[in-house]
C-alpha cells in the first residue's frame, strides 16, 4: 500500500448548524449491484471477511477497483495493515454465505468452505464465489464512517457455469431469474358461438327459385269419353 489519505477539511461534512443528514440508503437500495465478500489474512494469521456490495472499477490500466468499507470493521483494519485482499463475487446460490459474512459471526470461516491458494490476497470462498480477484491496496481514503480502499488487481479467477447473486431494494435476486426470457403469450380462448336470430335462420332456408311437381287427381269421367289423368307442373316463385 502506497499511502493512506485523510479527507481534506474542505471535504468534511459540516454539521455545526445542526441540520439533519439526508438518508441516502433508499437511494442506494434503488441501485442494484452484485454481492461480494472481502477477505484477508490478518497480522495474527487469522482470516477476516465481510460482505460488501459497494464495489466499482476505477481503471483498466493499471487494473484497479475501489471498495467502500465500514471503517470500524476488523476486516478493514486487517486489509490496511497487511495491504492484501481478495474479492469474492458470490454466485446466485450463495445467499446464505452473504448473510453469514454480514452477520459478524465470529465463526464465519468455520461455517463455509475456503482455501488460500499460493499468492492469494485472502481466503477464496471456493464453494460460494463465481469469480475471485486478488490484489494489493495502493491507497485508502477515509471519509465519514467509511473508507474507500483502492486495490490494484493482480489476478482474476473465474468459475464457469455460475451466475451472479444480485442485491437491491433490500432483497436478493438470482441473475438467472432476472434475465430469463419470457415465453410466448398464451393463445386466447376461442370466442363462444353466437346463435343466429330466428328471422335470419328462416330467411336462410328460402331459395330464390324452386320447382314443385303436382299431380292432380283425375276428374270425374264425362258421359262422352273418359278424361285422362293430367300432370301439371307449376313453378312457384318465392
Amino acid at each position: 500500500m502506497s499511502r493512506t489519505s485523510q479527507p481534506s477539511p474542505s471535504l468534511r461534512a459540516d454539521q455545526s448548524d445542526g441540520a439533519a443528514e439526508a438518508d441516502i440508503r433508499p437511494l442506494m437500495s434503488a441501485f442494484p449491484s452484485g454481492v461480494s465478500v472481502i477477505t484477508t489474512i490478518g497480522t495474527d494469521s487469522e482470516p477476516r471477511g465481510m460482505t460488501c456490495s459497494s464495489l466499482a472499477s476505477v481503471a483498466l490500466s493499471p487494473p484497479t477497483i475501489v471498495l467502500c468499507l465500514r471503517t470500524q470493521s476488523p476486516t478493514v483494519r486487517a486489509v490496511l495493515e497487511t495491504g492484501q485482499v481478495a474479492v469474492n463475487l458470490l454466485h446466485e446460490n450463495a445467499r446464505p454465505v452473504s448473510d453469514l459474512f454480514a452477520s459478524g459471526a465470529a465463526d464465519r470461516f468455520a461455517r463455509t468452505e475456503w482455501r488460500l491458494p499460493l499468492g492469494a490476497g485472502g481466503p477464496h470462498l471456493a464453494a460460494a464465489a463465481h469469480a475471485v480477484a486478488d490484489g494489493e491496496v495502493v491507497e485508502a481514503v477515509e471519509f465519514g464512517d467509511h473508507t474507500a480502499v483502492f486495490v490494484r488487481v493482480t489476478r482474476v479467477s473465474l468459475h464457469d457455469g455460475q451466475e451472479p447473486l444480485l442485491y437491491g431494494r433490500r432483497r436478493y435476486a438470482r441473475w438467472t431469474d432476472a434475465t430469463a426470457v419470457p415465453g410466448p403469450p398464451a393463445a386466447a380462448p376461442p370466442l363462444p358461438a353466437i346463435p343466429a336470430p330466428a328471422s335470419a335462420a328462416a330467411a336462410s332456408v328460402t331459395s330464390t327459385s324452386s320447382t314443385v311437381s303436382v299431380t292432380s287427381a283425375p276428374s270425374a269421367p264425362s258421359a262422352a269419353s273418359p278424361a285422362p289423368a293430367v300432370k301439371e307442373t307449376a313453378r312457384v316463385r318465392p
Side-chain angles (χ1 to χ4, degrees), residues 138-149:
V138 295
E139 188 172 347
V141 178
E142 183 180 338
F143 189 90
D145 55 3
H146 275 61
T147 297
V149 181

Side-chain angles (χ1 to χ4, degrees), residues 125-202:
L125 307 183
H130 69 90
V132 182
D134 294 297
E136 56 186 22
V137 178
V138 295
E139 188 172 347
V141 178
E142 183 180 338
F143 189 90
D145 55 3
H146 275 61
T147 297
V149 181
F150 293 83
V151 178
R152 184 174 66 85
V153 176
T154 57
R155 181 174 63 184
V156 174
S157 304
L158 301 177
H159 301 166
D160 294 334
Q162 299 286 358
E163 301 293 351
L165 178 66
L166 306 177
Y167 187 76
R169 296 290 189 186
R170 297 186 175 90
R171 59 181 181 268
Y172 293 97
R174 291 161 48 91
W175 177 270
T176 299
D177 297 335
T179 59
V181 178
L191 296 176
I194 301 176
S199 59

Side-chain angles (χ1 to χ4, degrees), residues 48-128:
R48 300 281 191 275
M50 64 183 295
T51 300
C52 172
S53 60
S54 184
L55 180 158
S57 63
V58 174
L60 298 179
S61 181
T64 307
I65 61 176
V66 62
L67 316 171
C68 294
L69 309 174
R70 185 171 54 86
T71 301
Q72 298 304 317
S73 168
T75 298
V76 177
R77 292 197 296 270
V79 166
L80 297 180
E81 289 171 355
T82 64
Q84 301 293 317
V85 66
V87 180
N88 296 266
L89 302 184
L90 301 187
H91 62 63
E92 61 184 2
N93 296 317
R95 174 179 174 177
V97 175
S98 174
D99 290 337
L100 174 63
F101 279 83
S103 70
D107 62 345
R108 67 194 79 172
F109 281 96
R111 294 163 58 183
T112 190
E113 181 183 345
W114 63 279
R115 58 189 180 87
L116 190 65
L118 184 64
H124 287 198
L125 307 183

